[in-house]
Amino acid sequence: MALYNRIDKRILKDRLKEIPYKRTTLSFYKYHFIEDPAAFRDQLYLGLEKMEVWGRIYVAHEGINAQISVPAQYFNDFRTYLYSIPFLNNVRLNIAIEDDGKSFFKLKILVRKKIVADGLNDSAFDVTNSGQHLDAQSFNAITEDPSTIIVDMRNHYESEVGHFKSAICPDVDTFRDSLPVVEKLLEDKKDKNVVMYCTGGIRCEKASAWLKHRGFQHVYQLNGGIIEYARQAKEQGLENKFIGKNFVFDERLGERISNDIISVCHQCGKACDTHTNCKNDGCHLLFIQCDECATAMNGCCSAECKEIIALPEEKQKEIRAGINKGRQVFKKGRSKKIIYKSQTQ
């Protein structure tokens, strides 16, 4: 059996649109030493593929980080299988808040050096000495104190469409970039309560341990991140302190947490928080675009890209030939092509 997908992604995306049954989108992670990540990766692929689990999973010596969707009819089987893996027994599953089941269209499991690219030398500090975990109620309570510092550990394009009230949102492109920026911003506040949050919690595990290593005395992190917070707030009838959308790294590109729209269309300036990728295969810029601009620009980020996608496919291939997009194919909302960018962060 092939341990990877062989079907063209366009066919898979068309298949996803036609699926009549419900799928559940979720994420989970676990820091745990895996002796042979490649062997574990193959074992996991065989176990998940037969249940039609789709998504993106990173495996490394330090653990696993997964964002996936599971057919509803196989959810119990999936959970039983996952929990049969000793170090994943009872691992928290962060269930998506707003889910149309169209989040992923294939299964991809990759072996990486790290499950999150943080740029840290893990041998230089105790990565297990992370911040105190807070549930939604505790988060709301501690952030009522005006002296508490709330830090968004996500990237600029994530916090642009949604963040917690009064949070510091660093203008960074990657998690690796955020750590030195946050430390610099807070260098004279090491005795304050510092509360960190991210999408599902994984980035804060390392970031909070790093801040403690660097001398911060009172470090906290939102357990389960924005996803778990929103679920608990809704179930328990708590005040929801998150405004806007939670950006997600799948086909949905976002799930609504509150009705607030805090960002604008990058092309006309109208209130909007709908992320998209430029339809020009040689660009794929991630940006915010309203319905009117999407229609006028044929889903493109610029007049240049709009002209290109109107050309015959062979001509488009010639234009983008030799362009090494690599892992930067989804440029994250920074381009001279886009005019407007929210300043409300």
Side-chain angles (χ1 to χ4, degrees):
M1 175 184 290
L3 297 179
Y4 56 89
N5 171 68
R6 291 178 171 176
I7 305 174
D8 185 274
K9 69 178 182 180
R10 289 170 292 188
I11 296 175
L12 294 175
K13 285 187 175 184
D14 288 341
R15 178 188 67 177
L16 180 63
K17 294 176 184 177
E18 301 301 323
I19 286 176
Y21 55 84
K22 186 179 183 332
R23 296 183 67 89
T24 300
T25 302
L26 61 97
S27 63
F28 66 90
Y29 70 89
K30 183 74 173 181
Y31 280 103
H32 176 85
F33 178 71
I34 299 175
E35 184 173 356
D36 189 342
F40 177 73
R41 179 264 173 211
D42 292 349
Q43 169 196 341
L44 192 64
Y45 192 100
L46 289 171
L48 299 181
E49 195 270 341
K50 63 185 178 184
M51 289 183 281
E52 297 182 31
V53 173
W54 300 334
R56 178 179 56 251
I57 303 175
Y58 298 145
V59 176
H61 283 296
E62 68 175 1
I64 182 172
N65 180 18
Q67 297 88 40
I68 58 175
S69 76
V70 183
Q73 64 266 33
Y74 294 141
F75 186 83
N76 289 335
D77 294 335
F78 157 76
R79 184 167 51 191
T80 298
Y81 168 75
L82 192 69
Y83 287 178
S84 73
I85 301 171
F87 80 90
L88 291 176
N89 186 26
N90 290 321
V91 68
R92 183 186 61 245
L93 303 178
N94 290 325
I95 307 296
I97 302 301
E98 187 179 51
D99 187 14
D100 60 3
K102 311 299 184 185
S103 50
F104 297 100
F105 56 86
K106 67 178 179 179
L107 178 61
K108 179 187 291 187
I109 308 181
L110 303 174
V111 175
R112 290 279 181 83
K113 290 183 178 180
K114 288 194 172 189
I115 54 177
V116 176
D118 52 38
L120 296 174
N121 177 7
D122 291 357
S123 64
F125 68 108
D126 183 359
V127 298
T128 67
N129 185 27
S130 57
Q132 182 177 331
H133 290 69
L134 301 173
D135 59 16
Q137 186 174 14
S138 300
F139 177 90
N140 280 3
I142 197 172
T143 55
E144 283 296 314
D145 184 344
S147 66
T148 294
I149 301 168
I150 310 169
V151 184
D152 193 322
M153 293 307 301
R154 302 172 304 152
N155 307 321
H156 74 93
Y157 52 89
E158 298 175 81
S159 59
E160 182 176 3
V161 295
H163 54 74
F164 279 102
K165 298 173 183 177
S166 303
I168 295 173
C169 301
D171 185 24
V172 295
D173 292 336
T174 67
F175 178 50
R176 179 195 297 262
D177 295 337
S178 70
L179 293 171
V181 171
V182 168
E183 186 177 353
K184 180 68 174 177
L185 288 171
L186 305 182
E187 61 182 350
D188 60 344
K189 300 176 177 62
K190 292 188 175 182
D191 60 337
K192 301 289 187 181
N193 287 337
V194 177
V195 179
M196 317 176 84
Y197 71 89
C198 56
T199 307
I202 188 170
R203 285 177 271 191
C204 292
E205 293 289 347
K206 282 282 187 74
S208 63
W210 175 251
L211 284 194
K212 291 180 71 174
H213 169 68
R214 298 295 291 175
F216 288 82
Q217 301 170 27
H218 310 290
V219 182
Y220 302 83
Q221 64 186 90
L222 182 58
N223 193 27
I226 298 163
I227 298 173
E228 180 63 11
Y229 173 89
R231 185 190 68 79
Q232 290 181 15
K234 182 177 181 180
E235 288 183 355
Q236 299 173 29
L238 303 173
E239 177 190 357
N240 172 26
K241 293 194 173 192
F242 189 91
I243 53 176
K245 260 186 178 180
N246 177 33
F247 183 94
V248 292
F249 293 88
D250 58 54
E251 294 294 307
R252 296 172 298 151
L253 292 178
E255 52 185 13
R256 184 156 300 287
I257 306 298
S258 82
N259 292 326
D260 305 275
I261 298 177
I262 65 172
S263 53
V264 300
C265 172
H266 286 165
Q267 293 178 316
C268 72
K270 173 185 174 181
C272 178
D273 56 11
T274 303
H275 270 108
T276 188
N277 287 105
C278 179
K279 296 301 184 287
N280 175 14
D281 285 340
C283 177
H284 275 313
L285 175 74
L286 178 75
F287 70 111
I288 297 172
Q289 187 179 53
C290 68
D291 291 342
E292 290 83 356
C293 288
T295 299
M297 299 297 294
N298 288 345
C300 292
C301 69
S302 65
E304 176 188 0
C305 286
K306 182 181 177 182
E307 290 177 3
I308 290 174
I309 68 166
L311 298 172
E313 179 60 29
E314 288 305 312
K315 183 62 177 177
Q316 292 184 48
K317 288 181 179 179
E318 288 179 21
I319 293 173
R320 63 177 181 263
I323 298 176
N324 182 14
K325 293 178 289 188
R327 291 183 61 200
Q328 298 303 314
V329 57
F330 295 103
K331 293 174 289 186
K332 308 298 185 182
R334 294 197 196 278
S335 172
K336 294 179 181 179
K337 296 178 180 179
I338 56 178
I339 303 171
Y340 297 92
K341 188 169 173 64
S342 172
Q343 299 299 319
T344 61
Q345 301 180 50

